[in-house]
Amino acid sequence: MSMYFVGIDISKYKHDCCILAAADQTVVSKFTIKNDKSGFEQLISTLHSLSNPENIKIGFESTAHYALNLELFLENANHSFMEINPLLIKEYKKSTSLRRTKTDSVDCESIARWLMTVEYKPHSKGFYHAYSLKSLTRLRDRLVRQRSFYLVKITNVLDHTFPEFKPFFHERLSKTALFLLENYGSAEKMARMNAASYEKLRSLSRGRFSPQQFLQLKELAANTVGINNSIFDVELNSLLTLYKSLVKEVGKLETEINKLIEEVHPHYMSIPGIGPISAAVIYSEYGDLSNFSTPAQMLAFAGIEPGINESGTESHGGRMVKHGSSQLRYVLINCCLPLIRFDMTFATYYAKKRAEGKPHRVAITHVAKKLVRVIYALERQGTDFNTQKLR
């Protein structure tokens, strides 16, 4: 039977579709559907009139959540589809025309024609976990950034009211420190703390907050150079409420993320330094690793491959391209920090790069590349991490 290629340009309220016949590469049909049930049914009806689902290849640009409902609808109708990096379509259009024409009708045809030139790699079935984890991990990342913002603001207030407070707690807002700020707030009140106050602190810290530390904190509070101002007290209380709320919400998200990633439990969770949250980010950002035929493709997807500058007789590598998911790149590189502490093979590899004269950040990037190659091998072989088998 005839083969057909379908390009769909995704937007918020409508989707533009172009169907090409593989035999003569001509446009069979161009039409627009609404982003609703009737529109989706119109698309499926049109596709069914052409051929069986296995003879129809569908592609559309990766557009965050706008395509999710269509993806689920296509999957339930037994149609495969391929998500495409928008950058690839942009570059393809540049290579086929010098005209700067951008319309939804042109875009959907470009997607269909690009689809004819590449290996078709359909999205994996049952992508619920990957999409759910991507939503949760990205939301968590935003909330963590907000939490850090409020932490800085709290520090700014303390710099005015009690600048000696955070250095006393080694620049950390521990449970004990937060309890003191919430229940006493100002240095003046902390200076008047009594034995009952200490008992609460000792209980909260499980005995780690000693009487000597308690007396030292009271002395610092009594002799602080900070300003006692009720406006700062109001500001501090407001910031602490927002900070605690974010801590609570991040905790809820992490509980859900841990539950979902445990259901999948990828083999790379066995690598030292990759915990549930990091594994969830890697899983959600990469998706189905069978879509990558080489580790180099995974490196390119994460944006940690080097750029190449070649001209005439000169050829040399450049800096990281930094395309792709910044969150994935950040997690992969951060996973390497405990990895070079707890695994001898990775530690040796890091030491080798440092001995070659590479700075810490460059050496860690090389370790991240090795980590990606290991992740690829573990998932392809269906086995857990074993340092004895590393080279």
Side-chain angles (χ1 to χ4, degrees):
M1 295 183 71
S2 298
M3 182 73 69
Y4 296 91
F5 292 87
V6 183
I8 304 177
D9 185 71
I10 303 291
S11 56
K12 187 172 184 178
Y13 299 112
K14 66 179 180 66
H15 307 318
D16 290 271
C17 310
C18 176
I19 302 175
L20 300 179
D24 54 8
Q25 300 186 16
T26 58
V27 176
V28 175
S29 177
K30 272 190 180 183
F31 55 96
T32 299
I33 62 170
K34 291 183 179 179
N35 188 16
D36 58 21
K37 186 177 181 181
S38 64
F40 292 175
E41 288 176 344
Q42 177 190 345
L43 173 63
I44 295 298
S45 177
T46 304
L47 297 179
H48 284 175
S49 69
L50 296 172
S51 185
N52 295 327
E54 58 267 22
N55 295 317
I56 298 175
K57 297 181 178 180
I58 303 171
F60 43 78
E61 293 177 336
S62 178
T63 52
H65 64 281
Y66 291 127
L68 177 64
N69 293 332
L70 180 60
E71 290 172 349
L72 291 170
F73 196 87
L74 289 171
E75 183 175 81
N76 291 332
N78 297 315
H79 278 279
S80 65
F81 56 88
M82 179 177 176
E83 277 194 315
I84 306 162
N85 189 325
L87 184 64
L88 296 176
I89 302 300
K90 182 180 179 181
E91 294 302 318
Y92 174 76
K93 286 173 64 179
K94 282 183 182 179
S95 70
T96 56
S97 175
L98 294 176
R99 299 177 66 185
R100 293 187 177 181
T101 305
K102 186 180 184 340
T103 66
D104 295 338
S105 177
V106 170
D107 287 350
C108 65
E109 184 174 342
S110 296
I111 293 169
R113 294 199 180 279
W114 180 87
L115 204 59
M116 299 177 73
T117 67
V118 298
E119 179 187 357
Y120 186 62
K121 295 180 178 179
H123 208 293
S124 59
K125 294 286 184 180
F127 55 95
Y128 166 77
H129 281 85
Y131 180 82
S132 299
L133 283 170
K134 180 178 284 190
S135 298
L136 291 175
T137 53
R138 289 190 173 187
L139 176 58
R140 176 190 173 274
D141 181 63
R142 289 193 294 272
L143 295 187
V144 167
R145 290 175 187 272
Q146 289 180 34
R147 185 180 67 184
S148 299
F149 170 80
Y150 287 123
L151 194 60
V152 171
K153 291 297 182 182
I154 290 170
T155 301
N156 291 345
V157 173
L158 288 172
D159 287 342
H160 290 295
T161 61
F162 192 179
E164 301 87 353
F165 184 83
K166 277 199 75 178
F168 177 80
F169 285 99
H170 307 291
E171 302 299 331
R172 292 180 61 251
L173 283 185
S174 61
K175 285 184 178 180
T176 305
L178 284 171
F179 177 85
L180 284 164
L181 292 176
E182 290 167 15
N183 290 274
Y184 298 94
S186 67
E188 184 182 6
K189 291 179 181 177
M190 290 186 202
R192 296 199 302 266
M193 291 188 297
N194 53 30
S197 303
Y198 173 70
E199 284 303 315
K200 291 179 181 177
L201 292 170
R202 187 189 64 79
S203 175
L204 182 68
S205 66
R206 297 180 181 179
R208 289 191 293 270
F209 195 70
S210 66
Q212 290 76 20
Q213 288 175 302
F214 178 71
L215 293 173
Q216 184 183 352
L217 179 63
K218 284 190 63 175
E219 185 177 353
L220 286 173
N223 297 288
T224 184
V225 295
I227 303 167
N228 184 19
N229 188 311
S230 61
I231 297 300
F232 287 133
D233 291 343
V234 171
E235 187 176 353
L236 182 62
N237 287 333
S238 179
L239 290 170
L240 284 169
T241 299
L242 292 168
Y243 177 78
K244 281 189 66 180
S245 174
L246 286 169
V247 169
K248 184 178 178 180
E249 293 307 314
V250 168
K252 288 180 182 178
L253 289 175
E254 290 180 347
T255 298
E256 191 63 29
I257 289 169
N258 290 341
K259 185 172 72 174
L260 284 171
I261 197 64
E262 279 298 332
E263 291 176 7
V264 180
H265 204 86
H267 293 284
Y268 49 80
M269 275 186 74
S270 58
I271 300 175
I274 298 185
I277 302 298
S278 297
V281 173
I282 294 169
Y283 181 85
S284 64
E285 296 295 326
Y286 272 131
D288 185 1
L289 292 189
S290 65
N291 290 329
F292 300 92
S293 55
T294 64
Q297 291 180 347
M298 292 178 64
L299 290 172
F301 185 88
I304 53 177
E305 64 170 350
I308 298 175
N309 193 340
E310 186 174 286
S311 176
T313 58
E314 295 185 3
S315 178
H316 56 85
R319 298 180 179 180
M320 283 195 303
V321 295
K322 291 189 178 180
H323 289 157
S325 168
S326 59
Q327 190 177 13
L328 173 61
R329 187 164 56 250
Y330 175 83
V331 165
L332 286 171
I333 291 175
N334 265 20
C335 284
C336 295
L337 299 175
L339 193 55
I340 61 175
R341 291 178 56 200
F342 300 119
D343 184 85
M344 183 56 68
T345 304
F346 280 96
T348 303
Y349 186 71
Y350 171 78
K352 175 176 174 286
K353 293 299 176 183
R354 291 287 279 153
E356 292 172 0
K358 300 187 186 300
H360 167 73
R361 290 172 65 89
V362 176
I364 280 291
T365 301
H366 281 280
V367 175
K369 294 177 185 177
K370 185 178 181 68
L371 174 60
V372 169
R373 292 191 288 269
V374 170
I375 289 172
Y376 177 85
L378 294 181
E379 296 305 315
R380 279 302 176 103
Q381 297 168 14
T383 184
D384 285 347
F385 179 78
N386 184 348
T387 191
Q388 302 300 322
K389 294 181 180 179
L390 281 180
R391 289 177 291 146

